[in-house]
mmCIF file of all heavy atoms in Angstrom:
data_model
loop_
_atom_site.group_PDB
_atom_site.id
_atom_site.type_symbol
_atom_site.label_atom_id
_atom_site.label_comp_id
_atom_site.label_asym_id
_atom_site.label_seq_id
_atom_site.Cartn_x
_atom_site.Cartn_y
_atom_site.Cartn_z
ATOM 1 N N LYS A 94 0.661 8.875 7.634
ATOM 2 C CA LYS A 94 -0.550 9.553 8.060
ATOM 3 C C LYS A 94 -1.635 9.487 6.954
ATOM 4 O O LYS A 94 -1.261 9.488 5.816
ATOM 5 C CB LYS A 94 -0.279 11.056 8.393
ATOM 6 C CG LYS A 94 0.633 11.214 9.574
ATOM 7 C CD LYS A 94 -0.039 10.933 10.870
ATOM 8 C CE LYS A 94 0.869 11.236 12.044
ATOM 9 N NZ LYS A 94 0.198 10.945 13.329
ATOM 10 N N LYS A 102 -4.671 10.639 10.948
ATOM 11 C CA LYS A 102 -4.391 9.578 11.925
ATOM 12 C C LYS A 102 -3.206 8.771 11.442
ATOM 13 O O LYS A 102 -2.890 8.799 10.227
ATOM 14 C CB LYS A 102 -5.622 8.677 12.071
ATOM 15 C CG LYS A 102 -6.827 9.341 12.679
ATOM 16 C CD LYS A 102 -7.454 8.420 13.672
ATOM 17 C CE LYS A 102 -8.568 9.125 14.395
ATOM 18 N NZ LYS A 102 -8.296 9.190 15.814
ATOM 19 N N LYS A 103 -2.628 7.995 12.281
ATOM 20 C CA LYS A 103 -1.536 7.106 11.885
ATOM 21 C C LYS A 103 -2.141 6.040 11.004
ATOM 22 O O LYS A 103 -3.204 5.464 11.244
ATOM 23 C CB LYS A 103 -0.940 6.409 13.161
ATOM 24 C CG LYS A 103 0.197 5.452 12.797
ATOM 25 C CD LYS A 103 0.746 4.840 14.050
ATOM 26 C CE LYS A 103 1.851 3.821 13.748
ATOM 27 N NZ LYS A 103 2.361 3.260 14.973
ATOM 28 N N GLN A 105 -1.181 2.401 8.935
ATOM 29 C CA GLN A 105 -0.336 1.277 8.652
ATOM 30 C C GLN A 105 -0.931 0.543 7.450
ATOM 31 O O GLN A 105 -2.100 0.208 7.466
ATOM 32 C CB GLN A 105 -0.208 0.341 9.842
ATOM 33 C CG GLN A 105 0.620 0.907 10.983
ATOM 34 C CD GLN A 105 0.770 -0.059 12.133
ATOM 35 O OE1 GLN A 105 0.100 0.141 13.175
ATOM 36 N NE2 GLN A 105 1.567 -1.057 11.990
ATOM 37 N N GLY A 123 -5.355 4.744 13.234
ATOM 38 C CA GLY A 123 -5.597 4.962 14.689
ATOM 39 C C GLY A 123 -4.714 6.027 15.227
ATOM 40 O O GLY A 123 -4.121 6.822 14.516
ATOM 41 N N SER A 124 -4.622 6.034 16.544
ATOM 42 C CA SER A 124 -3.769 7.039 17.215
ATOM 43 C C SER A 124 -2.328 6.714 17.047
ATOM 44 O O SER A 124 -1.971 5.665 16.528
ATOM 45 C CB SER A 124 -4.150 7.105 18.714
ATOM 46 O OG SER A 124 -3.868 5.846 19.323
ATOM 47 N N ASP A 125 -1.463 7.623 17.409
ATOM 48 C CA ASP A 125 -0.035 7.485 17.195
ATOM 49 C C ASP A 125 0.580 6.260 17.849
ATOM 50 O O ASP A 125 1.648 5.776 17.375
ATOM 51 C CB ASP A 125 0.721 8.730 17.632
ATOM 52 C CG ASP A 125 0.516 9.912 16.710
ATOM 53 O OD1 ASP A 125 0.059 9.718 15.587
ATOM 54 O OD2 ASP A 125 0.744 11.072 17.163
ATOM 55 N N ASP A 126 -0.033 5.694 18.863
ATOM 56 C CA ASP A 126 0.523 4.488 19.507
ATOM 57 C C ASP A 126 -0.041 3.186 18.993
ATOM 58 O O ASP A 126 0.187 2.133 19.539
ATOM 59 C CB ASP A 126 0.419 4.576 21.008
ATOM 60 C CG ASP A 126 -1.003 4.519 21.520
ATOM 61 O OD1 ASP A 126 -1.972 4.735 20.735
ATOM 62 O OD2 ASP A 126 -1.210 4.307 22.742
ATOM 63 N N MET A 127 -0.904 3.263 17.965
ATOM 64 C CA MET A 127 -1.488 2.055 17.330
ATOM 65 C C MET A 127 -0.383 1.203 16.724
ATOM 66 O O MET A 127 0.514 1.749 16.078
ATOM 67 C CB MET A 127 -2.521 2.425 16.251
ATOM 68 C CG MET A 127 -3.108 1.249 15.563
ATOM 69 S SD MET A 127 -3.968 1.708 14.042
ATOM 70 C CE MET A 127 -2.600 2.059 12.974
ATOM 71 N N ASP A 128 -0.492 -0.126 16.862
ATOM 72 C CA ASP A 128 0.466 -1.005 16.196
ATOM 73 C C ASP A 128 -0.268 -2.304 15.845
ATOM 74 O O ASP A 128 -0.617 -3.073 16.677
ATOM 75 C CB ASP A 128 1.590 -1.324 17.207
ATOM 76 C CG ASP A 128 2.712 -2.232 16.579
ATOM 77 O OD1 ASP A 128 2.600 -2.512 15.370
ATOM 78 O OD2 ASP A 128 3.566 -2.623 17.375
ATOM 79 N N LEU A 129 -0.475 -2.491 14.511
ATOM 80 C CA LEU A 129 -1.161 -3.685 14.040
ATOM 81 C C LEU A 129 -0.374 -4.955 14.157
ATOM 82 O O LEU A 129 -0.963 -5.993 14.204
ATOM 83 C CB LEU A 129 -1.540 -3.498 12.554
ATOM 84 C CG LEU A 129 -2.567 -2.417 12.241
ATOM 85 C CD1 LEU A 129 -2.772 -2.286 10.705
ATOM 86 C CD2 LEU A 129 -3.882 -2.650 12.935
ATOM 87 N N GLY A 131 1.596 -5.820 16.729
ATOM 88 C CA GLY A 131 1.872 -6.323 18.055
ATOM 89 C C GLY A 131 0.708 -6.110 19.005
ATOM 90 O O GLY A 131 -0.393 -5.709 18.583
ATOM 91 N N ARG A 132 0.895 -6.402 20.246
ATOM 92 C CA ARG A 132 -0.177 -6.280 21.226
ATOM 93 C C ARG A 132 -0.063 -4.939 21.985
ATOM 94 O O ARG A 132 -0.859 -4.717 22.899
ATOM 95 C CB ARG A 132 -0.158 -7.452 22.181
ATOM 96 C CG ARG A 132 -0.490 -8.723 21.473
ATOM 97 C CD ARG A 132 -0.476 -9.858 22.444
ATOM 98 N NE ARG A 132 -0.844 -11.107 21.736
ATOM 99 C CZ ARG A 132 -1.465 -12.112 22.324
ATOM 100 N NH1 ARG A 132 -1.683 -12.075 23.612
ATOM 101 N NH2 ARG A 132 -1.780 -13.158 21.624
ATOM 102 N N GLU A 133 0.939 -4.215 21.718
ATOM 103 C CA GLU A 133 1.132 -2.878 22.426
ATOM 104 C C GLU A 133 0.337 -1.856 21.740
ATOM 105 O O GLU A 133 -0.039 -1.975 20.592
ATOM 106 C CB GLU A 133 2.614 -2.559 22.382
ATOM 107 C CG GLU A 133 3.545 -3.558 23.032
ATOM 108 C CD GLU A 133 3.339 -3.703 24.514
ATOM 109 O OE1 GLU A 133 3.056 -2.699 25.196
ATOM 110 O OE2 GLU A 133 3.371 -4.864 24.981
ATOM 111 N N GLY A 134 0.071 -0.740 22.412
ATOM 112 C CA GLY A 134 -0.596 0.377 21.832
ATOM 113 C C GLY A 134 -2.085 0.256 21.798
ATOM 114 O O GLY A 134 -2.692 -0.731 22.294
ATOM 115 N N SER A 135 -2.742 1.217 21.193
ATOM 116 C CA SER A 135 -4.189 1.337 21.142
ATOM 117 C C SER A 135 -4.743 0.507 19.983
ATOM 118 O O SER A 135 -4.037 0.155 19.090
ATOM 119 C CB SER A 135 -4.603 2.747 21.007
ATOM 120 O OG SER A 135 -4.148 3.283 19.808
ATOM 121 N N ILE A 136 -6.071 0.276 20.052
ATOM 122 C CA ILE A 136 -6.717 -0.460 18.979
ATOM 123 C C ILE A 136 -6.992 0.495 17.798
ATOM 124 O O ILE A 136 -7.094 1.736 18.062
ATOM 125 C CB ILE A 136 -7.976 -1.180 19.470
ATOM 126 C CG1 ILE A 136 -9.016 -0.116 19.904
ATOM 127 C CG2 ILE A 136 -7.738 -2.182 20.490
ATOM 128 C CD1 ILE A 136 -10.397 -0.696 20.144
ATOM 129 N N PRO A 137 -7.096 0.011 16.604
ATOM 130 C CA PRO A 137 -7.303 0.863 15.431
ATOM 131 C C PRO A 137 -8.704 1.482 15.500
ATOM 132 O O PRO A 137 -9.628 0.867 15.988
ATOM 133 C CB PRO A 137 -7.229 -0.064 14.232
ATOM 134 C CG PRO A 137 -6.573 -1.301 14.738
ATOM 135 C CD PRO A 137 -6.828 -1.353 16.208
#
Side-chain angles (χ1 to χ4, degrees):
K94 295 286 185 180
K102 295 223 175 242
K103 179 180 179 181
Q105 287 183 254
S124 61
D125 286 342
D126 67 343
M127 178 196 73
D128 183 7
L129 294 178
R132 294 181 178 207
E133 301 295 321
S135 63
I136 63 170

